[in-house]
Amino acid sequence: MFRKQGRFEKHLFESSILDSSETVDLDDIKAMLQGYPSKEEEDQLVQSMTIVQIFKEFIRLIPLNLEPHKRLKVLLTFHVLMGDVKHGRLFVGQLCSWNGWLVQDTKDILNKFANVQTMIIQKLAVIAEVIIKSKLKTNIEGLFKDIDGSVMQFYKIINCLNFILAQYDLFFQVIQSHNRVIIMEVYLLLWNDVIALYLQFESQDYRFIRQFMDCYQQIDCKQSLQVYELFNEFMKLTIFIKKFAQLSTLFKNCGINEPKWFNPSKKDIEELQLYFQNVKIYMTSRSKRTKIDKSSSQMLNGRLCQTTDRELRKSSSQIMKSADRKINDQYLQNTTLGYIKKLSQASNPTQALQYTFESDQKDL
């Protein structure tokens, strides 16, 4: 028995998103975002599905087994939807529930590329909010008011960029062996995000790195050292992103706009290195001094505690012995044993006996 296809499912599988065409038609993505409305719904300007229902249904209907080039088209659609200013956040929210495909044969270069591209999309989804903000203007003063928060955000960007840029060799191989439109479009969408994230560090709108170079001596030592480590990562990224940009020359009719790269002078870099060498020495010596002071304080407190404890135990022992003696004496004076004790201490037993009796009589 054949299951009846719903309207959404029918249109989705007939669209360029899942058919055998080379790439995805943007109009098909727009039609899906509207829920593939009927003629009547179009005329009445109504939509039978909410945008969240559309995203859920789209993700649910993605086949578990797809040939590599179709998987790349689905991932391309994901990437476009993630970058949508109006609905991107909602789509990412639904994408988090998607488990992806089973890992396909990695010996085939196109399969391997589709597997890696799936991981890239998942990593981009994790920092989707950062990517959206990176395409909007950010107040540089806000970045320096919360340096710890900004540094954490930048390291999230760096980790994601490092993973993408580490795939350079794979991109090079797949372009050489499968120079197809879909691969070029995947590359262009990635480049768009890579450069947007990179420019968060240094562009006309952000200028975080340049601003840091102007005021690092006025920032708290610990925080300025954090940003300096970030500066070093930024310089490494610049080299790899320039290399990643060169992949565009392997495609036909693929032009990308490279930014005006920030290249600090050799003198500026040497001054930074010298300054932060001194900062590290200062912080290390301060840390050691703090540990020594803390250790000395603990030792002194320990000795005082030991001395006080010994004296207290000694004093307590003496008090206890004295008290025990008094208690024992009082106890023995009222017993036969008391008499025996006094007898044993006397040189003349008769005197001792008289003394004892006299003493007892006095007590009566």
Side-chain angles (χ1 to χ4, degrees), residues 14 19 58 63 72 92 121 130-131 146 151 159 165 181-182 203-204 210 212 268 276 286 317 330 359 363-364:
E14 289 176 353
D19 70 7
F58 169 47
L72 288 174
V92 168
I121 289 295
V130 178
I131 295 171
D146 180 19
V151 167
N159 289 337
L165 298 172
V181 174
I182 184 63
S203 73
Q204 192 173 359
R210 199 185 300 267
F212 162 70
D268 288 338
F276 283 102
R286 189 175 68 174
S317 177
Q330 288 172 359
S359 171
D363 291 335
L364 292 175

PDB file of all heavy atoms in Angstrom, residues 14 19 58 63 72 92 121 130-131 146 151 159 165 181-182 203-204 210 212 268 276 286 317 330 359 363-364:
ATOM      1  N   GLU A  14      10.003  17.361  -5.421  1.00  0.00           N
ATOM      2  CA  GLU A  14      10.037  17.780  -6.829  1.00  0.00           C
ATOM      3  C   GLU A  14      10.892  19.024  -7.035  1.00  0.00           C
ATOM      4  O   GLU A  14      11.200  19.400  -8.166  1.00  0.00           O
ATOM      5  CB  GLU A  14       8.605  18.055  -7.327  1.00  0.00           C
ATOM      6  CG  GLU A  14       7.765  16.788  -7.481  1.00  0.00           C
ATOM      7  CD  GLU A  14       6.322  17.101  -7.883  1.00  0.00           C
ATOM      8  OE1 GLU A  14       5.966  18.308  -7.903  1.00  0.00           O
ATOM      9  OE2 GLU A  14       5.572  16.147  -8.162  1.00  0.00           O
ATOM     10  N   ASP A  19      15.908  17.146  -5.952  1.00  0.00           N
ATOM     11  CA  ASP A  19      15.899  16.446  -7.242  1.00  0.00           C
ATOM     12  C   ASP A  19      17.331  16.235  -7.741  1.00  0.00           C
ATOM     13  O   ASP A  19      18.293  16.441  -7.000  1.00  0.00           O
ATOM     14  CB  ASP A  19      15.026  17.199  -8.266  1.00  0.00           C
ATOM     15  CG  ASP A  19      15.641  18.518  -8.728  1.00  0.00           C
ATOM     16  OD1 ASP A  19      16.805  18.793  -8.356  1.00  0.00           O
ATOM     17  OD2 ASP A  19      14.970  19.277  -9.443  1.00  0.00           O
ATOM     18  N   PHE A  58      10.428  20.045   7.028  1.00  0.00           N
ATOM     19  CA  PHE A  58      11.553  19.954   6.093  1.00  0.00           C
ATOM     20  C   PHE A  58      12.626  19.008   6.632  1.00  0.00           C
ATOM     21  O   PHE A  58      13.090  18.104   5.943  1.00  0.00           O
ATOM     22  CB  PHE A  58      12.129  21.352   5.839  1.00  0.00           C
ATOM     23  CG  PHE A  58      13.441  21.370   5.107  1.00  0.00           C
ATOM     24  CD1 PHE A  58      13.643  20.606   3.960  1.00  0.00           C
ATOM     25  CD2 PHE A  58      14.499  22.151   5.567  1.00  0.00           C
ATOM     26  CE1 PHE A  58      14.860  20.622   3.282  1.00  0.00           C
ATOM     27  CE2 PHE A  58      15.716  22.178   4.890  1.00  0.00           C
ATOM     28  CZ  PHE A  58      15.892  21.402   3.748  1.00  0.00           C
ATOM     29  N   PRO A  63      15.714  12.506   3.536  1.00  0.00           N
ATOM     30  CA  PRO A  63      16.003  11.061   3.501  1.00  0.00           C
ATOM     31  C   PRO A  63      17.314  10.723   4.216  1.00  0.00           C
ATOM     32  O   PRO A  63      18.270  11.509   4.202  1.00  0.00           O
ATOM     33  CB  PRO A  63      16.106  10.756   1.996  1.00  0.00           C
ATOM     34  CG  PRO A  63      15.376  11.872   1.324  1.00  0.00           C
ATOM     35  CD  PRO A  63      15.607  13.073   2.180  1.00  0.00           C
ATOM     36  N   LEU A  72      24.950  17.517  -0.478  1.00  0.00           N
ATOM     37  CA  LEU A  72      25.544  18.865  -0.555  1.00  0.00           C
ATOM     38  C   LEU A  72      24.472  19.918  -0.843  1.00  0.00           C
ATOM     39  O   LEU A  72      24.542  21.036  -0.317  1.00  0.00           O
ATOM     40  CB  LEU A  72      26.626  18.899  -1.637  1.00  0.00           C
ATOM     41  CG  LEU A  72      27.930  18.162  -1.315  1.00  0.00           C
ATOM     42  CD1 LEU A  72      28.852  18.149  -2.524  1.00  0.00           C
ATOM     43  CD2 LEU A  72      28.632  18.793  -0.116  1.00  0.00           C
ATOM     44  N   VAL A  92      17.837  27.409  13.084  1.00  0.00           N
ATOM     45  CA  VAL A  92      18.929  26.810  13.868  1.00  0.00           C
ATOM     46  C   VAL A  92      18.359  26.047  15.062  1.00  0.00           C
ATOM     47  O   VAL A  92      18.841  24.965  15.417  1.00  0.00           O
ATOM     48  CB  VAL A  92      19.927  27.888  14.335  1.00  0.00           C
ATOM     49  CG1 VAL A  92      20.895  27.333  15.380  1.00  0.00           C
ATOM     50  CG2 VAL A  92      20.709  28.431  13.143  1.00  0.00           C
ATOM     51  N   ILE A 121      28.633  22.553   8.951  1.00  0.00           N
ATOM     52  CA  ILE A 121      27.315  23.156   9.158  1.00  0.00           C
ATOM     53  C   ILE A 121      26.896  23.046  10.621  1.00  0.00           C
ATOM     54  O   ILE A 121      26.358  23.996  11.208  1.00  0.00           O
ATOM     55  CB  ILE A 121      26.259  22.481   8.237  1.00  0.00           C
ATOM     56  CG1 ILE A 121      26.501  22.875   6.773  1.00  0.00           C
ATOM     57  CG2 ILE A 121      24.836  22.853   8.654  1.00  0.00           C
ATOM     58  CD1 ILE A 121      26.305  24.347   6.454  1.00  0.00           C
ATOM     59  N   VAL A 130      26.534  34.282  16.876  1.00  0.00           N
ATOM     60  CA  VAL A 130      27.741  35.095  16.675  1.00  0.00           C
ATOM     61  C   VAL A 130      27.862  35.512  15.209  1.00  0.00           C
ATOM     62  O   VAL A 130      28.229  36.648  14.902  1.00  0.00           O
ATOM     63  CB  VAL A 130      29.006  34.315  17.117  1.00  0.00           C
ATOM     64  CG1 VAL A 130      30.257  35.135  16.873  1.00  0.00           C
ATOM     65  CG2 VAL A 130      28.906  33.925  18.584  1.00  0.00           C
ATOM     66  N   ILE A 131      27.537  34.578  14.303  1.00  0.00           N
ATOM     67  CA  ILE A 131      27.630  34.871  12.865  1.00  0.00           C
ATOM     68  C   ILE A 131      26.641  35.969  12.478  1.00  0.00           C
ATOM     69  O   ILE A 131      26.977  36.898  11.737  1.00  0.00           O
ATOM     70  CB  ILE A 131      27.370  33.598  12.029  1.00  0.00           C
ATOM     71  CG1 ILE A 131      28.468  32.567  12.281  1.00  0.00           C
ATOM     72  CG2 ILE A 131      27.326  33.927  10.536  1.00  0.00           C
ATOM     73  CD1 ILE A 131      28.193  31.207  11.671  1.00  0.00           C
ATOM     74  N   ASP A 146      33.517  44.614  28.282  1.00  0.00           N
ATOM     75  CA  ASP A 146      33.460  43.237  28.762  1.00  0.00           C
ATOM     76  C   ASP A 146      34.535  42.427  28.032  1.00  0.00           C
ATOM     77  O   ASP A 146      34.239  41.623  27.148  1.00  0.00           O
ATOM     78  CB  ASP A 146      32.057  42.648  28.519  1.00  0.00           C
ATOM     79  CG  ASP A 146      31.933  41.196  28.992  1.00  0.00           C
ATOM     80  OD1 ASP A 146      32.779  40.789  29.813  1.00  0.00           O
ATOM     81  OD2 ASP A 146      31.017  40.499  28.541  1.00  0.00           O
ATOM     82  N   VAL A 151      36.615  38.074  24.679  1.00  0.00           N
ATOM     83  CA  VAL A 151      37.685  37.106  24.390  1.00  0.00           C
ATOM     84  C   VAL A 151      37.097  35.704  24.230  1.00  0.00           C
ATOM     85  O   VAL A 151      37.461  34.961  23.317  1.00  0.00           O
ATOM     86  CB  VAL A 151      38.759  37.120  25.501  1.00  0.00           C
ATOM     87  CG1 VAL A 151      39.697  35.929  25.381  1.00  0.00           C
ATOM     88  CG2 VAL A 151      39.561  38.418  25.430  1.00  0.00           C
ATOM     89  N   ASN A 159      38.010  28.826  16.985  1.00  0.00           N
ATOM     90  CA  ASN A 159      37.911  27.362  16.942  1.00  0.00           C
ATOM     91  C   ASN A 159      37.149  26.897  15.704  1.00  0.00           C
ATOM     92  O   ASN A 159      37.550  25.933  15.036  1.00  0.00           O
ATOM     93  CB  ASN A 159      37.226  26.834  18.208  1.00  0.00           C
ATOM     94  CG  ASN A 159      38.099  26.967  19.441  1.00  0.00           C
ATOM     95  OD1 ASN A 159      39.321  27.054  19.324  1.00  0.00           O
ATOM     96  ND2 ASN A 159      37.492  27.012  20.607  1.00  0.00           N
ATOM     97  N   LEU A 165      39.258  26.084   8.034  1.00  0.00           N
ATOM     98  CA  LEU A 165      40.497  26.340   7.279  1.00  0.00           C
ATOM     99  C   LEU A 165      41.393  25.105   7.212  1.00  0.00           C
ATOM    100  O   LEU A 165      42.184  24.966   6.281  1.00  0.00           O
ATOM    101  CB  LEU A 165      41.249  27.517   7.907  1.00  0.00           C
ATOM    102  CG  LEU A 165      40.494  28.855   7.904  1.00  0.00           C
ATOM    103  CD1 LEU A 165      41.247  29.896   8.724  1.00  0.00           C
ATOM    104  CD2 LEU A 165      40.249  29.345   6.495  1.00  0.00           C
ATOM    105  N   VAL A 181      29.398  23.097 -10.016  1.00  0.00           N
ATOM    106  CA  VAL A 181      28.753  24.327  -9.546  1.00  0.00           C
ATOM    107  C   VAL A 181      28.388  24.214  -8.067  1.00  0.00           C
ATOM    108  O   VAL A 181      28.577  25.166  -7.302  1.00  0.00           O
ATOM    109  CB  VAL A 181      27.494  24.645 -10.393  1.00  0.00           C
ATOM    110  CG1 VAL A 181      26.742  25.840  -9.803  1.00  0.00           C
ATOM    111  CG2 VAL A 181      27.868  24.920 -11.838  1.00  0.00           C
ATOM    112  N   ILE A 182      27.859  23.057  -7.634  1.00  0.00           N
ATOM    113  CA  ILE A 182      27.430  22.890  -6.250  1.00  0.00           C
ATOM    114  C   ILE A 182      28.603  23.077  -5.288  1.00  0.00           C
ATOM    115  O   ILE A 182      28.462  23.686  -4.228  1.00  0.00           O
ATOM    116  CB  ILE A 182      26.747  21.514  -6.025  1.00  0.00           C
ATOM    117  CG1 ILE A 182      26.211  21.387  -4.590  1.00  0.00           C
ATOM    118  CG2 ILE A 182      27.677  20.361  -6.346  1.00  0.00           C
ATOM    119  CD1 ILE A 182      25.148  22.367  -4.224  1.00  0.00           C
ATOM    120  N   SER A 203      38.020  45.315  11.198  1.00  0.00           N
ATOM    121  CA  SER A 203      37.397  45.923  10.018  1.00  0.00           C
ATOM    122  C   SER A 203      37.094  47.369  10.370  1.00  0.00           C
ATOM    123  O   SER A 203      37.250  47.806  11.502  1.00  0.00           O
ATOM    124  CB  SER A 203      36.112  45.186   9.635  1.00  0.00           C
ATOM    125  OG  SER A 203      35.085  45.475  10.555  1.00  0.00           O
ATOM    126  N   GLN A 204      36.577  48.086   9.417  1.00  0.00           N
ATOM    127  CA  GLN A 204      36.290  49.505   9.640  1.00  0.00           C
ATOM    128  C   GLN A 204      35.263  49.694  10.750  1.00  0.00           C
ATOM    129  O   GLN A 204      35.298  50.659  11.500  1.00  0.00           O
ATOM    130  CB  GLN A 204      35.762  50.120   8.343  1.00  0.00           C
ATOM    131  CG  GLN A 204      35.704  51.641   8.391  1.00  0.00           C
ATOM    132  CD  GLN A 204      35.353  52.236   7.042  1.00  0.00           C
ATOM    133  OE1 GLN A 204      35.172  51.528   6.080  1.00  0.00           O
ATOM    134  NE2 GLN A 204      35.262  53.550   6.997  1.00  0.00           N
ATOM    135  N   ARG A 210      43.034  46.614  16.190  1.00  0.00           N
ATOM    136  CA  ARG A 210      43.715  47.913  16.075  1.00  0.00           C
ATOM    137  C   ARG A 210      43.512  48.753  17.334  1.00  0.00           C
ATOM    138  O   ARG A 210      44.425  49.428  17.804  1.00  0.00           O
ATOM    139  CB  ARG A 210      43.204  48.664  14.838  1.00  0.00           C
ATOM    140  CG  ARG A 210      44.147  49.779  14.383  1.00  0.00           C
ATOM    141  CD  ARG A 210      43.506  50.558  13.241  1.00  0.00           C
ATOM    142  NE  ARG A 210      43.216  49.713  12.102  1.00  0.00           N
ATOM    143  CZ  ARG A 210      44.047  49.535  11.080  1.00  0.00           C
ATOM    144  NH1 ARG A 210      45.224  50.127  11.067  1.00  0.00           N
ATOM    145  NH2 ARG A 210      43.708  48.761  10.067  1.00  0.00           N
ATOM    146  N   PHE A 212      43.012  47.600  20.297  1.00  0.00           N
ATOM    147  CA  PHE A 212      43.844  46.979  21.330  1.00  0.00           C
ATOM    148  C   PHE A 212      45.285  47.473  21.222  1.00  0.00           C
ATOM    149  O   PHE A 212      45.933  47.778  22.223  1.00  0.00           O
ATOM    150  CB  PHE A 212      43.793  45.456  21.190  1.00  0.00           C
ATOM    151  CG  PHE A 212      44.915  44.739  21.886  1.00  0.00           C
ATOM    152  CD1 PHE A 212      44.970  44.688  23.270  1.00  0.00           C
ATOM    153  CD2 PHE A 212      45.931  44.121  21.160  1.00  0.00           C
ATOM    154  CE1 PHE A 212      46.016  44.029  23.920  1.00  0.00           C
ATOM    155  CE2 PHE A 212      46.973  43.468  21.793  1.00  0.00           C
ATOM    156  CZ  PHE A 212      47.006  43.426  23.179  1.00  0.00           C
ATOM    157  N   ASP A 268      55.826  47.529  15.385  1.00  0.00           N
ATOM    158  CA  ASP A 268      54.676  47.389  16.295  1.00  0.00           C
ATOM    159  C   ASP A 268      54.650  46.003  16.939  1.00  0.00           C
ATOM    160  O   ASP A 268      54.396  45.866  18.145  1.00  0.00           O
ATOM    161  CB  ASP A 268      53.368  47.620  15.540  1.00  0.00           C
ATOM    162  CG  ASP A 268      53.162  49.085  15.182  1.00  0.00           C
ATOM    163  OD1 ASP A 268      53.773  49.939  15.847  1.00  0.00           O
ATOM    164  OD2 ASP A 268      52.395  49.366  14.245  1.00  0.00           O
ATOM    165  N   PHE A 276      54.873  42.418  26.395  1.00  0.00           N
ATOM    166  CA  PHE A 276      54.191  41.281  27.022  1.00  0.00           C
ATOM    167  C   PHE A 276      55.157  40.237  27.573  1.00  0.00           C
ATOM    168  O   PHE A 276      54.778  39.454  28.443  1.00  0.00           O
ATOM    169  CB  PHE A 276      53.168  40.668  26.054  1.00  0.00           C
ATOM    170  CG  PHE A 276      51.915  41.503  25.970  1.00  0.00           C
ATOM    171  CD1 PHE A 276      51.693  42.345  24.888  1.00  0.00           C
ATOM    172  CD2 PHE A 276      50.998  41.494  27.006  1.00  0.00           C
ATOM    173  CE1 PHE A 276      50.555  43.137  24.838  1.00  0.00           C
ATOM    174  CE2 PHE A 276      49.862  42.281  26.964  1.00  0.00           C
ATOM    175  CZ  PHE A 276      49.636  43.112  25.885  1.00  0.00           C
ATOM    176  N   ARG A 286      55.031  37.895  40.549  1.00  0.00           N
ATOM    177  CA  ARG A 286      53.977  38.266  41.502  1.00  0.00           C
ATOM    178  C   ARG A 286      53.252  37.021  42.010  1.00  0.00           C
ATOM    179  O   ARG A 286      52.931  36.906  43.190  1.00  0.00           O
ATOM    180  CB  ARG A 286      52.971  39.213  40.837  1.00  0.00           C
ATOM    181  CG  ARG A 286      51.964  39.810  41.826  1.00  0.00           C
ATOM    182  CD  ARG A 286      51.063  40.822  41.171  1.00  0.00           C
ATOM    183  NE  ARG A 286      50.163  40.202  40.216  1.00  0.00           N
ATOM    184  CZ  ARG A 286      49.191  40.858  39.581  1.00  0.00           C
ATOM    185  NH1 ARG A 286      49.028  42.160  39.785  1.00  0.00           N
ATOM    186  NH2 ARG A 286      48.409  40.241  38.719  1.00  0.00           N
ATOM    187  N   SER A 317      47.195  19.395  81.082  1.00  0.00           N
ATOM    188  CA  SER A 317      47.674  18.182  81.748  1.00  0.00           C
ATOM    189  C   SER A 317      48.016  18.468  83.203  1.00  0.00           C
ATOM    190  O   SER A 317      47.674  17.703  84.098  1.00  0.00           O
ATOM    191  CB  SER A 317      48.904  17.667  81.008  1.00  0.00           C
ATOM    192  OG  SER A 317      49.430  16.549  81.651  1.00  0.00           O
ATOM    193  N   GLN A 330      40.959  13.992  98.553  1.00  0.00           N
ATOM    194  CA  GLN A 330      39.680  14.146  99.262  1.00  0.00           C
ATOM    195  C   GLN A 330      38.986  12.806  99.393  1.00  0.00           C
ATOM    196  O   GLN A 330      38.399  12.469 100.402  1.00  0.00           O
ATOM    197  CB  GLN A 330      38.776  15.120  98.491  1.00  0.00           C
ATOM    198  CG  GLN A 330      39.250  16.565  98.586  1.00  0.00           C
ATOM    199  CD  GLN A 330      38.469  17.486  97.665  1.00  0.00           C
ATOM    200  OE1 GLN A 330      37.585  17.033  96.950  1.00  0.00           O
ATOM    201  NE2 GLN A 330      38.808  18.764  97.692  1.00  0.00           N
ATOM    202  N   SER A 359      43.229  14.071 113.290  1.00  0.00           N
ATOM    203  CA  SER A 359      42.794  14.733 112.069  1.00  0.00           C
ATOM    204  C   SER A 359      41.353  14.387 111.763  1.00  0.00           C
ATOM    205  O   SER A 359      40.570  15.241 111.384  1.00  0.00           O
ATOM    206  CB  SER A 359      43.687  14.275 110.890  1.00  0.00           C
ATOM    207  OG  SER A 359      43.191  14.719 109.662  1.00  0.00           O
ATOM    208  N   ASP A 363      37.946  16.865 111.738  1.00  0.00           N
ATOM    209  CA  ASP A 363      37.041  16.972 110.599  1.00  0.00           C
ATOM    210  C   ASP A 363      35.605  16.757 111.010  1.00  0.00           C
ATOM    211  O   ASP A 363      34.674  17.199 110.318  1.00  0.00           O
ATOM    212  CB  ASP A 363      37.413  15.932 109.523  1.00  0.00           C
ATOM    213  CG  ASP A 363      38.745  16.259 108.846  1.00  0.00           C
ATOM    214  OD1 ASP A 363      39.136  17.440 108.835  1.00  0.00           O
ATOM    215  OD2 ASP A 363      39.377  15.319 108.322  1.00  0.00           O
ATOM    216  N   LEU A 364      35.403  16.065 112.144  1.00  0.00           N
ATOM    217  CA  LEU A 364      34.041  15.744 112.565  1.00  0.00           C
ATOM    218  C   LEU A 364      33.332  16.942 113.138  1.00  0.00           C
ATOM    219  O   LEU A 364      33.784  17.708 113.846  1.00  0.00           O
ATOM    220  CB  LEU A 364      34.089  14.607 113.597  1.00  0.00           C
ATOM    221  CG  LEU A 364      34.534  13.257 113.024  1.00  0.00           C
ATOM    222  CD1 LEU A 364      34.674  12.224 114.122  1.00  0.00           C
ATOM    223  CD2 LEU A 364      33.522  12.765 111.987  1.00  0.00           C
TER     224      LEU A 364
END
